[in-house]
Amino acid sequence: MDAALCAFDADGTVTHWNREAERILGWSADEAVGRPGFAGWAVRRADADEVQGRLMAVMDGPGRQVHEFALLRKDGGRVLVRTQSAGVRSVDGKPAGVYCAFSEVHAQIDLERAIALSEALFEDASWGVVLVDVDLRPTVVNAHAARALGGGRTTLLGRPLGELIVQGVEDLEGALQHVLAAGAPPAPAELWVTLRTADGDRRRCWRSGFLRLASPLAEEPVPLGVGWLFQDVTAAKLAAQDADRVRFRSNQLHRASRSAAECEDPMEAATTSLDYALAGFADHALIDLVVGERLVRAAATPSDAPGPCLPVAGGGIPLRYAPGHPALQALDRTGSVRATAGARAAGEWATERRWPADSVHALCVVLRSRGRTLGVVTFLRAAHRTAFERPDAVYAESTADRVAASVDLHRSLAAGKDGYGTDSSRSGV
């Protein structure tokens, strides 16, 4: 066996001695069996009585006892061992001897450290730890991982990962299969997943490390599965993305201002500002201006293909927006209005609102300059983009301020005076 084993009869005479005991101390079974205890050969004579007394004391008591002794090797060297001893009973229940297993302390400590580390990882670790078998099903899940995956430590076992993860399971399973085939990757990987929970889907980013597990008892490595360790870094990743987004949009506003300043025609400056705003933000942009009591389409991006925002040929198209249209809501509120198709058919939803057919998400922002409402600028996104959020509205409003200033100047020049025509603007609140 892998453990060193020996046994003593009731008088303390060695009766059994295995090969691991021979390997550790150098004494063969023929040399050890039959000796009266360890005195003078496996233990210094000065320590023999104490060692023998502690070993044999277990014979009269229940359970096991653990001790550490310095034993002598055959070559004269000393080795510190940890022993576990237990009494042996005869058929009639009387003490018959002692059974003792021992190992080198450093090897035992290494084993105990490994066991303690394993237990700590699966109990109190501040990151998720999951053992996955070769079929890519969880076999052990620690408390942190169970909370992250949205289940119990036992309810998650044996279930396919696809039952827990709505999106991103292909990337995770691909990483696990790679580890089984080629070993652990050199660096942690960041995986975005969407989890199915009782409160709805949650999108998370996990920084993950992987270890291939193989049996230490086999002559050749036998794969047992993969150890997967991960931390939730969603908050940090979202903060970094927000910072990158703010930096990019700030640069776009700066570039738009510089380009618009070079435009001779104020309306060209307005459409130039929209072109810069569209990059990475939306798929379409529309400018609807107030003329009398109506909204007139003044400029737009192509409805069927990407392209720049250009003035509408022929001087503008009067629009028949139905009551409750987001652009009319923006005018009434003198603010921003977000809208989305939701579960409705996108084409029908967009057509009803006089928008390009691929539009799924809309953001309408009022154009204001010198205390008056000039119209509405509308940003539209297709299905491949997410819905507009409040930070998007702030960026759109900053763009709308520049567009409104250019439209105001255009109208002033067209009227031939430094103000508004009475029929070309609408007072705002």
Side-chain angles (χ1 to χ4, degrees), residues 296-298 312-318:
V296 173
R297 178 68 45 80
V312 174
I317 304 172

Side-chain angles (χ1 to χ4, degrees), residues 271 274-275 278 283-287 297 299-310 356 378 380:
T271 56
L274 284 183
D275 288 337
L278 282 174
D283 299 293
H284 303 285
L286 315 171
I287 299 178
R297 178 68 45 80
T301 54
S303 61
D304 56 350
C309 185
L310 298 173
T378 299
L380 301 169

Side-chain angles (χ1 to χ4, degrees), residues 303-346:
S303 61
D304 56 350
C309 185
L310 298 173
V312 174
I317 304 172
L319 300 167
R320 296 180 179 178
Y321 285 155
H325 190 284
L328 299 180
Q329 293 183 42
L331 286 177
D332 292 338
R333 299 177 187 179
T334 318
S336 301
V337 173
R338 285 173 280 160
T340 186
R344 295 190 57 186

Side-chain angles (χ1 to χ4, degrees), residues 66-270:
V66 178
H67 301 287
E68 289 186 3
F69 302 121
L71 299 183
L72 292 177
R73 294 175 51 84
K74 186 176 181 179
D75 60 11
R78 302 179 70 193
V79 57
L80 185 64
V81 300
R82 178 170 293 177
T83 67
Q84 294 188 53
S85 55
V88 178
R89 302 284 175 175
S90 62
V91 177
D92 57 6
K94 295 181 179 180
V98 172
Y99 167 88
C100 178
F102 63 92
S103 60
E104 296 175 80
V105 165
H106 70 83
Q108 183 71 18
I109 290 177
D110 287 345
L111 175 61
E112 292 181 6
R113 282 198 188 106
I115 295 173
L117 174 61
S118 176
E119 292 181 349
L121 286 174
F122 288 106
E123 292 295 336
D124 304 321
S126 59
W127 54 87
V129 181
V130 180
L131 297 191
V132 182
D133 63 17
V134 292
D135 294 326
L136 307 185
R137 295 172 183 252
T139 58
V140 184
V141 179
N142 77 342
H144 187 101
R147 290 191 298 270
L149 290 167
R153 294 187 61 180
T154 56
T155 59
L156 296 174
L157 303 185
R159 295 174 59 185
L161 294 172
E163 292 185 5
L164 310 171
I165 301 173
V166 180
Q167 295 178 347
V169 67
E170 297 86 359
D171 295 335
L172 175 57
E173 290 184 341
L176 295 171
Q177 289 169 346
H178 173 80
V179 173
L180 285 171
E190 291 181 352
L191 301 174
W192 281 96
V193 299
T194 300
L195 299 173
R196 181 183 291 111
T197 69
D199 299 326
D201 293 348
R202 291 188 303 131
R203 186 161 171 77
R204 314 303 297 168
C205 181
W206 290 333
R207 180 171 293 142
S208 302
F210 302 93
L211 298 170
R212 182 167 59 180
L213 305 179
S215 173
L217 304 179
E219 294 183 3
E220 296 183 2
V222 176
L224 297 178
V226 177
W228 169 34
L229 293 81
F230 66 90
Q231 281 187 316
D232 192 319
V233 294
T234 309
K237 293 297 293 183
L238 291 178
Q241 289 178 2
D242 288 342
D244 291 341
R245 186 182 299 112
V246 169
R247 189 180 305 111
F248 173 75
R249 290 178 177 179
S250 177
N251 289 338
Q252 288 297 99
L253 290 173
H254 174 72
R255 294 175 62 195
S257 297
R258 295 292 299 270
S259 295
E262 299 298 323
C263 295
E264 215 174 301
D265 179 6
M267 201 63 191
E268 182 185 355

